[in-house]
Amino acid sequence: MDLIIKNGTVVTGKESFIADIAVKDGKIACIGTDLSMEAVKIIDAAGKLVLPGAIDAHTHLAMPFGGTVSADGYLSGTRAAACGGVTTVFDYPMQRKGKGIIETLEERKAMCDPEACVDYAFHCIVTDLNGGELLDEFQASVDMGVTSFKCFFVYKKEGMMVDDGTFVKILLKAKEVGAITNIHAENPDVIDLNIEKFLKEGNTSAWYHYLSRPEYVEAEADKRAVHWAKSVDAPLYIVHMADKEGLEAAVEAKLAGHQIFIETCPQYLEFTSEVYKREDGRNFVCSPPIKGKDSQEALWDAIRKGTIDTVATDHCPFQSYEKDWGKDDFTKIPNGCAGIENLYPYMLAAANSGKISFNRAVELCAENPAKIFGCDTKGSLTVGKDADIVIYDKDKDFTISVNNMHSDYDHTIWEGKELHGYPVQTYVRGRLVYDNGEFTGEAGYGQFVKRKAALSGYK
C-alpha cells in the first residue's frame, strides 16, 4: 500500500467505527481492522476522526464582479480549501451573451488546470440562451462532465438575470440531458424599488443592503422557482437558502416528493442581519444578505431534521479597500464573503459541540453534494473511491484569523471565531496536501472531476 491510516474512528453519513484505511494509487483499497499489509507510509490516527474530504459545492474563484475580481483565484482558493479539509471545489464559470457553454467551460478549465491544488468541478452559469442556440450545447456539457447549470433571478443590470420563460426552458432541457438546474432566488424588481427609495432618503449604510433585500424578497423568488420546478417536474437545487419562508416552501415541496434540493451556507448559520449595523458591516455584504434570528433558527432546525441537503460557502471574498468603496453607498460594495477554509471546521465544530452529529456533518458537506451532482468517485470513504481523507482532532482548539488562513484576502468575517476541534491532515487522492497548519500540496495537482448524470448518487 502507499498509505495506511490506522486506528482512527471512520465517520460515514450513517455510522462511525474504528478501522484502518489502506490507500493504493490514489484510491481507497481496503477498510478493515488490524490491517497488516506493508505500506510506504503508516499514520496512527488513534483518538482522531477519519472523514471523507469535504466538497464545497459553491464557490466563485477569480470571479469578475462589482468592478473588480474576487480576491481568491484558483491557486489561493484551492490552497485554502485543502487547509480546511475541502478536497473538491465547485466553481461557477459564467456564460455571457454571445458566448457558448463549452467555450466558457474550456476557458475556465485552462485557467484552473495549472493552479488547482485540490480537485475541481464546474456548474455553468447561463445568462443568455443566444436565441435558443445555447440549449443545443447542454448535452455537450453533460458529455464533458458538467451536469449542472445555474440561473440568477437577479443582477439584471449586470446582464446575469434570466426571466421565468428562460428559466423554464433551462429546467426542461437540463432534465432532458440528465442535469440539474441551480437557482439564485431573489426578486430583482422589489430590490430595485427598495434601493431607489433608500438612496433618495440618504440611507446608504450596509444595514440598508439587508433592508433592500429582506426575507420576503428572497422568499417570493424561492417559492416562484419551486413552483416552476414542480410544474414541469424538473429537479431544482436552491443555492444559499437564507430565509425561513422560502425554506418552508422548498421543504414542503421536497416532502411531497418533488426533487427539490436545498443548500445553505455557514454565514447564515453563524450570523444574523444585526452584523450590518456594525462599523465593519460592509464586510458582511453578500447576496442574499444574512437574515434575522427566526431564519437562522429555521435553517438549523432544517439541518437537524435532514431537510437541508448541503452546506456550501458561496466563497467570493474581496479586499478591504474594495469593500470600502461602499462605505457611504451600500450599492457599491462588492457582494461576497470568505468561507472555503472554514466550511468543514465550522460544521465539524458544531458536531463536536453536540448541535448535530458528525455523521450529519459528513452528509451535508461530502456525501450529499457527491450524490446530487454525480461525483461518483467522491464524497465517502468507500473502497474504490478516491482517497480524499481528512483526519480531525476533536481536542484541538483553533481561533480563526486572517493570519492563519491560506487565502489571498486581507480580512475575514470569521476573525476571532473559536472552534473546538480542527482538521490536522488532508489527503487528496492519497496525497498529503495539508499537515497541521501547513499547506503541503502543489499547484496543478488538482484534477477536473468529470461527473456522471445529476442525482445519479440516488439511483
Side-chain angles (χ1 to χ4, degrees), residues 153-154 183-188 190-191 194 210 212-226 238-247 249 262-264 268 286-292 295 299:
F153 277 166
V154 286
I183 185 67
H184 175 140
E186 292 180 285
N187 185 297
V190 178
I191 292 170
N194 289 337
Y210 162 64
S212 69
R213 45 213 309 160
E215 280 77 352
Y216 65 82
V217 166
E218 184 183 348
E220 182 279 331
D222 287 328
K223 291 192 277 190
R224 179 159 38 102
V226 168
I238 304 176
V239 301
H240 49 46
M241 177 68 76
D243 73 289
K244 179 181 179 182
E245 185 182 348
L247 172 66
I262 306 166
E263 166 197 288
T264 194
Y268 304 128
C286 57
S287 293
I290 298 163
K291 302 299 198 300
S295 288
L299 293 170

Side-chain angles (χ1 to χ4, degrees), residues 106-383:
E106 291 288 4
E107 283 181 3
R108 278 280 154 166
K109 191 171 183 298
M111 290 173 62
C112 198
D113 276 340
E115 296 193 1
C117 305
V118 302
D119 291 347
Y120 70 95
F122 291 143
H123 311 287
C124 187
I125 299 170
V126 177
T127 66
D128 188 273
L129 292 180
N130 297 340
E133 292 180 7
L134 207 74
L135 294 171
D136 296 333
E137 287 196 65
F138 276 42
Q139 183 62 60
S141 176
V142 169
D143 294 342
M144 183 180 173
V146 177
T147 57
S148 44
F149 304 97
K150 181 182 181 180
C151 298
F152 285 98
F153 277 166
V154 286
Y155 303 130
K156 192 188 313 181
K157 293 171 186 172
E158 293 83 355
M160 295 157 62
M161 190 192 92
V162 301
D163 59 27
D164 285 13
T166 301
F167 177 59
V168 170
K169 289 177 184 176
I170 291 168
L171 281 171
L172 288 168
K173 191 64 177 181
K175 175 187 175 184
E176 178 188 321
V177 299
I180 190 169
T181 304
N182 304 359
I183 185 67
H184 175 140
E186 292 180 285
N187 185 297
D189 298 323
V190 178
I191 292 170
D192 288 348
L193 189 72
N194 289 337
I195 288 174
E196 183 181 7
K197 174 178 180 288
F198 292 143
L199 293 183
K200 194 176 291 183
E201 294 169 346
N203 294 318
T204 59
S205 73
W207 174 243
Y208 291 92
H209 170 73
Y210 162 64
L211 288 184
S212 69
R213 45 213 309 160
E215 280 77 352
Y216 65 82
V217 166
E218 184 183 348
E220 182 279 331
D222 287 328
K223 291 192 277 190
R224 179 159 38 102
V226 168
H227 169 78
W228 291 126
K230 286 168 54 179
S231 298
V232 299
D233 191 26
L236 177 69
Y237 181 86
I238 304 176
V239 301
H240 49 46
M241 177 68 76
D243 73 289
K244 179 181 179 182
E245 185 182 348
L247 172 66
E248 289 173 346
V251 168
E252 182 182 1
K254 174 194 285 288
L255 296 179
H258 298 281
Q259 291 183 316
I260 307 294
F261 300 89
I262 306 166
E263 166 197 288
T264 194
C265 307
Q267 57 266 32
Y268 304 128
L269 299 173
E270 175 67 11
F271 305 104
T272 71
S273 53
E274 291 297 305
V275 294
Y276 296 116
K277 295 179 178 177
R278 290 170 36 166
E279 180 64 30
D280 64 345
R282 59 190 173 280
N283 291 339
F284 293 82
V285 164
C286 57
S287 293
I290 298 163
K291 302 299 198 300
K293 190 70 176 174
D294 285 352
S295 288
Q296 183 189 59
E297 290 175 353
L299 293 170
W300 273 115
D301 188 51
I303 279 176
R304 283 188 288 267
K305 289 179 178 176
T307 48
I308 281 179
D309 299 281
T310 68
V311 179
T313 64
D314 194 12
H315 180 84
C316 191
F318 295 93
Q319 305 296 6
S320 294
Y321 74 87
E322 294 168 332
K323 288 287 191 176
D324 289 349
W325 292 341
K327 191 173 183 180
D328 300 313
D329 182 351
F330 69 88
T331 66
K332 295 178 180 175
I333 304 170
N335 283 211
C337 304
I340 202 167
E341 193 168 347
N342 314 117
L343 167 66
Y344 219 16
Y346 179 79
M347 295 307 296
L348 292 171
N352 211 13
S353 71
K355 203 162 192 174
I356 57 173
S357 68
F358 281 106
N359 310 97
R360 183 74 181 117
V362 165
E363 270 190 322
L364 290 161
C365 299
E367 287 194 2
N368 286 351
K371 288 180 179 180
I372 293 167
F373 294 115
C375 303
D376 64 336
T377 64
K378 305 288 186 183
S380 67
L381 299 177
T382 304
V383 172

